[in-house]
Amino acid sequence: MIAIDSKERYLAAYQQAQSHAAKRVPAWLSELREAGMADFDQLGFPTTKNEEWKYTNVEPIAAQSFDRANGEAKLVSASDIVARSMADPAAPRLVFVNGVYNEELSKSAMLERGVVVKSLGDFIKADDATVAARLGHYASGRRQPFVALNTAFVEDGAVVSIAAGCRAVQPIYLVFVSIATNQPVVSHPRTLILLGAGSEAKIVESYLGLDGGYFCNAVTELVGGPDSVIEHYRLQQESDTGFHVGALEAHLDRGCHLTAHAVSLSGALVRNNVRVTLNGEGAECVLNGLYLADGKQHIDNFTEIEHVKPRGRSLELYKGILSGSAHGVFNGRIVVHKDAQKTDARQTNKNLLLSADAVVNTQPQLEIYADDVKCSHGSTIGQMDGDALFYLRSRGLGVEAARSLLSFAFASDVVGRMKIDFLRARLDDYLVARFGRQ
């Protein structure tokens, strides 16, 4: 049971923040924040009585008192951040420390024509009309309490805009670094990604925890124009004592194609929310996910795909590897609306347990209101394949080497689908080192 004063702390912090910011922010932002806090006040923190949070207890987050982050960047170097975040040092990047843009650690001078990558804070200061019209329009806090909380405290983050017909060749990296100071800190980074008609882009969001206890509550709104092609990557490497709740809200227009990869490698308590709405005829999305947990880590993936218009297509594959006494959750929901005839939707969740104490709860769901569709879903939970182990041992491998090889192969099925060569290679190196240790 979550105490009432958990919500009251955030209400008090909001009132204090608004009193300081009232004269320095545009009216539209004040209204957006007010709406976010009103939604959070009504919803409060979710409990395990909420069906969507049935297997995840957020009491460790709700009970903790966090200070507002201030962008502390001591003892942080650009080379260290690039290395740990798996970012390509040759590619453009924006870096945020505790939710605040850090120009010294960023690299955005090499952007192509038609590509805009700037901090949200700059757009707010300029009272930008496009951001005012789009921000908060897609990710709703009316049923998502952490989105509401992020909206109430929205201050900085990233804005990526790709002009119509523009093909961004280089991947764009958005790196969010969390560092606890003397007290645990909370940050609410917000990202807005806008792709014009017929445009293409590869965008990597990397969340990295360097030290201490903190709470990163991130929200991304992604809007794909007609016939645009988006590859979106979300790499999460929080510290062993860090909390992370992230939301990706994607709205796809006619003929838009989104491929979204979500990789969770660490964190004390992690919740990833992915919601994709196929709003245009022939829109397509591919969701690939990989989550690795050990010790007492808890990683929860919630996905929801809504097919609204005809001839949409969605393919989803999420795989988890758990050891120690870790807890994994997968809750995948596909909704096919009445008018979404000729929909093709397929969902798969597979889990590998490397210890007797590891637990996975998986709940794939289909809601179909159209009659001319092809839809399927399935999930598996199992331990290491005995026949495969025997085969590898018969070829001269030891038990641990064989287990490591099979674990790597299980995870590589997801990593191998990534099209950014640099990132894929770095993840392969990480998996080899991680499973070699185990």
Side-chain angles (χ1 to χ4, degrees):
M1 193 71 178
I2 294 175
I4 295 177
D5 63 350
S6 299
K7 183 174 73 172
E8 295 300 325
R9 279 199 301 270
Y10 284 93
L11 293 172
Y14 170 78
Q15 294 298 334
Q16 183 180 11
Q18 283 298 87
S19 65
H20 291 305
K23 297 181 180 180
R24 296 185 289 107
V25 300
W28 61 266
L29 183 59
S30 293
E31 293 172 2
L32 183 65
R33 289 173 174 172
E34 189 71 28
M37 183 48 66
D39 288 333
F40 180 72
D41 188 20
Q42 181 177 5
L43 294 171
F45 285 101
T47 70
T48 53
K49 293 182 180 179
N50 299 92
E51 185 62 28
E52 293 182 1
W53 296 83
K54 183 177 180 180
Y55 300 108
T56 298
N57 182 5
V58 300
E59 176 66 20
I61 295 175
Q64 178 78 345
S65 180
F66 297 98
D67 287 344
R68 290 288 301 279
N70 59 4
E72 180 69 42
K74 292 180 179 178
L75 304 178
V76 178
S77 67
S79 59
D80 189 35
I81 287 177
V82 168
R84 295 197 189 194
S85 66
M86 303 187 189
D88 185 346
R93 65 178 182 270
L94 294 190
V95 177
F96 301 82
V97 179
N98 288 344
V100 179
Y101 175 62
N102 187 296
E103 185 175 4
E104 293 182 1
L105 300 175
S106 302
K107 183 180 180 181
S108 58
M110 54 199 319
L111 295 171
E112 299 149 293
R113 177 177 293 183
V115 179
V116 176
V117 182
K118 294 176 64 176
S119 79
L120 175 61
D122 288 342
F123 282 95
I124 291 174
K125 291 177 183 176
D127 198 4
D128 185 83
T130 299
V131 170
R134 298 295 191 96
L135 191 69
H137 184 72
Y138 306 96
S140 171
R142 281 174 289 183
R143 64 172 180 149
Q144 301 181 72
F146 286 100
V147 170
L149 194 61
N150 175 284
T151 302
F153 289 96
V154 63
E155 183 176 3
D156 206 352
V159 175
V160 179
S161 178
I162 313 296
C166 176
R167 181 174 179 267
V169 177
Q170 296 186 93
I172 299 165
Y173 287 82
L174 309 175
V175 183
F176 300 90
V177 184
S178 294
I179 307 173
T181 52
N182 295 329
Q183 297 292 330
V185 297
V186 59
S187 62
H188 303 279
R190 188 71 168 238
T191 299
L192 179 64
I193 301 172
L194 305 173
L195 283 97
S199 63
E200 295 184 24
K202 300 181 182 71
I203 300 166
V204 183
E205 293 182 38
S206 181
Y207 294 87
L208 176 67
L210 296 186
D211 191 22
Y214 56 84
F215 171 35
C216 178
N217 178 34
V219 174
T220 297
E221 296 176 285
L222 187 155
V223 185
D227 300 315
S228 58
V229 179
I230 315 118
E231 290 179 36
H232 182 268
Y233 298 77
R234 203 168 189 280
L235 177 62
Q236 185 274 118
Q237 302 178 83
E238 303 292 8
S239 72
D240 290 340
T241 54
F243 302 131
H244 182 99
V245 177
L248 169 64
E249 190 84 27
H251 284 241
L252 312 184
D253 209 330
R254 171 187 51 80
C256 176
H257 188 285
L258 165 68
T259 302
H261 305 270
V263 179
S264 294
L265 303 178
S266 54
L269 192 160
V270 176
R271 164 78 174 211
N272 298 310
N273 298 295
V274 178
R275 299 176 189 269
V276 181
T277 303
L278 281 69
N279 251 334
E281 184 171 351
E284 298 183 358
C285 77
V286 177
L287 303 185
N288 296 318
L290 175 66
Y291 45 103
L292 311 180
D294 58 17
K296 296 183 178 180
Q297 293 173 344
H298 181 102
I299 298 180
D300 181 348
N301 289 284
F302 177 91
T303 69
E304 184 175 73
I305 303 173
E306 281 199 73
H307 288 263
V308 179
K309 297 295 177 64
R311 297 176 178 81
R313 186 168 180 260
S314 65
L315 298 174
E316 182 174 6
L317 173 64
Y318 267 65
K319 303 184 81 170
I321 302 178
L322 295 97
S323 58
S325 56
H327 187 184
V329 181
F330 174 81
N331 190 343
R333 185 167 174 253
I334 296 176
V335 181
V336 181
H337 290 243
K338 182 179 180 180
D339 294 333
Q341 304 293 344
K342 304 293 183 181
T343 287
D344 186 355
R346 305 175 191 278
Q347 179 189 85
T348 304
N349 174 231
K350 297 182 178 181
N351 298 277
L352 178 62
L353 304 183
L354 301 182
S355 66
D357 294 328
V359 176
V360 170
N361 298 105
T362 179
Q363 188 175 359
Q365 304 173 65
L366 288 175
E367 293 184 23
I368 302 173
Y369 302 98
D371 52 19
D372 186 7
V373 301
K374 291 191 292 185
C375 298
S376 65
H377 66 76
S379 65
T380 60
I381 302 173
Q383 296 179 327
M384 199 72 73
D385 188 308
D387 292 338
L389 273 174
F390 176 79
Y391 175 83
L392 291 175
R393 293 196 65 193
S394 68
R395 291 324 188 252
L397 291 179
V399 176
E400 294 305 317
R403 285 170 61 87
S404 297
L405 185 60
L406 290 175
S407 298
F408 177 83
F410 186 86
S412 291
D413 184 26
V414 174
V415 175
R417 298 166 189 257
M418 298 180 176
K419 296 182 180 179
I420 299 179
D421 294 340
F422 184 91
L423 182 59
R424 186 177 63 249
R426 292 298 307 277
L427 280 169
D428 279 342
D429 292 343
Y430 175 89
L431 293 176
V432 168
R434 177 158 179 163
F435 293 125
R437 290 195 305 267
Q438 293 180 350

